[in-house]
Amino acid sequence: MVKILLVLILFLTGCHDQPWQLRDLHLKEETESRQIIALIDTGLSSQLLKKYDDRILDVYNVIKGCEDVEDYHGHGSEMFLLGASNQYGLLKRGQYVIIKAIDDQGETKPHYLYLALKKAEEMGANIVNMSLGGMNEDREVNRQIEHMVKHHIILLAAAGDFGDKDVLYPACNKHVIGVGAYDRDHEIWKECNIGKGLDCLFPGVNLNLGKHSASGTSYACMIASCYTVRLLDYYAKRDKTLSFGQIKRLLSREDRNWKC
């Protein structure tokens, strides 16, 4: 059994202004998205599934082999709201597929991740968010990642929340965009894993999430994934297609004032 990183640090807060992570990214008004983003995580609560059913194209549980993706852990639901929330979401008009590959204790197996990646491809996702990480690589997963990148599917994963340690897997895979976290002063988060595989930094410290705040590279990864959707839509409207290398370079820019 592989323990997957699922850091969920919550602080009660009374902040009601526009979330700093939205201001920081200089996003233009959102339009209908042409992209499909897959969330590989702990699933989604039935309440959110019902509330946002118009934005969810498909769901699947690779652990049980069925469509029951009830989220008893809460991490997957938090990631989804970072995108879809009417209050603080970055991708309110996005198209989502939900794939449960992590159990209610926050654990998974490499084979489940492999199945989840395959399912994401089958569902037509062209962006895959993996707000998770582990210590060991897996050949089966690596082969699927390489296959997906060849088919122009963008994969992003959290770097890890263990401080001055190597970037976790699969973020350290060269075909995956490894995402770390920075604070509102644009300083790298002290708990963020660093080193080879850390490709970009996104807001991930004391994020304003409605009635509470949270920190972690999981959050930064989801924000980066939503930003990637906006990025691809921005260029698609101008009849331009970006390569994996171009996307990685654009995400790594400290100054993102081109305003997707």
Side-chain angles (χ1 to χ4, degrees), residues 98-128:
I98 307 299
I99 303 171
K100 183 175 177 119
I102 304 172
D103 66 23
D104 303 328
Q105 287 70 50
E107 297 182 344
T108 191
K109 298 178 181 179
H111 186 61
Y112 292 154
L113 180 55
Y114 163 74
L115 292 175
L117 289 169
K118 283 195 67 176
K119 181 58 69 173
E121 183 180 16
E122 291 173 10
M123 290 177 168
N126 60 323
I127 297 170
V128 179

Side-chain angles (χ1 to χ4, degrees), residues 25-236:
L25 294 175
H26 307 290
L27 298 172
K28 285 186 175 181
E29 184 177 353
E30 186 180 357
T31 58
E32 206 71 38
S33 178
R34 303 180 189 180
Q35 320 305 320
I36 298 175
I37 179 172
L39 274 61
I40 297 177
D41 216 295
T42 60
L44 188 67
S45 73
S46 54
Q47 292 89 346
L48 292 178
L49 187 60
K50 182 178 181 179
K51 181 177 181 179
Y52 295 98
D53 65 336
D54 59 323
R55 307 177 204 179
I56 300 169
L57 302 181
D58 211 344
V59 300
Y60 195 74
N61 183 331
V62 299
I63 300 173
K64 295 183 177 180
C66 65
E67 294 183 354
D68 176 13
V69 295
E70 183 65 49
D71 181 13
Y72 296 103
H73 185 283
H75 188 268
S77 297
E78 283 273 329
M79 298 304 107
F80 175 77
L81 284 173
L82 266 178
S85 170
N86 294 322
Q87 182 179 1
Y88 56 82
L90 279 80
L91 199 61
K92 299 179 180 68
R93 302 178 69 179
Q95 301 184 89
Y96 298 87
V97 296
I98 307 299
I99 303 171
K100 183 175 177 119
I102 304 172
D103 66 23
D104 303 328
Q105 287 70 50
E107 297 182 344
T108 191
K109 298 178 181 179
H111 186 61
Y112 292 154
L113 180 55
Y114 163 74
L115 292 175
L117 289 169
K118 283 195 67 176
K119 181 58 69 173
E121 183 180 16
E122 291 173 10
M123 290 177 168
N126 60 323
I127 297 170
V128 179
N129 181 79
M130 296 179 285
S131 289
L132 51 81
M135 302 303 295
N136 301 313
E137 293 194 28
D138 182 79
R139 291 183 181 180
E140 187 177 42
V141 173
N142 280 341
R143 285 195 296 269
Q144 180 62 23
I145 287 172
E146 187 172 354
H147 164 79
M148 294 174 78
V149 170
K150 288 180 179 177
H151 287 79
H152 310 292
I153 300 172
I154 307 301
L155 302 104
L156 301 94
D161 298 355
F162 294 106
D164 190 14
K165 303 291 183 183
D166 291 340
V167 172
L168 298 182
Y169 178 81
C172 62
N173 183 297
K174 66 180 182 180
H175 300 297
V176 175
I177 297 174
V179 185
Y182 68 73
D183 61 24
R184 66 180 66 207
D185 295 320
H186 286 206
E187 296 290 337
I188 188 169
W189 187 38
K190 64 180 180 179
E191 302 297 334
C192 179
N193 288 35
I194 57 175
K196 185 178 180 180
L198 181 60
D199 298 307
C200 59
L201 298 173
F202 273 77
V205 184
N206 292 333
L207 301 177
N208 296 333
L209 307 177
K211 296 181 180 180
H212 69 271
S213 66
S215 301
T217 58
S218 287
Y219 296 90
C221 183
M222 184 59 191
I223 289 174
S225 294
C226 294
Y227 190 87
T228 303
V229 171
R230 302 282 291 267
L231 174 66
L232 294 182
D233 281 333
Y234 176 88
Y235 280 98

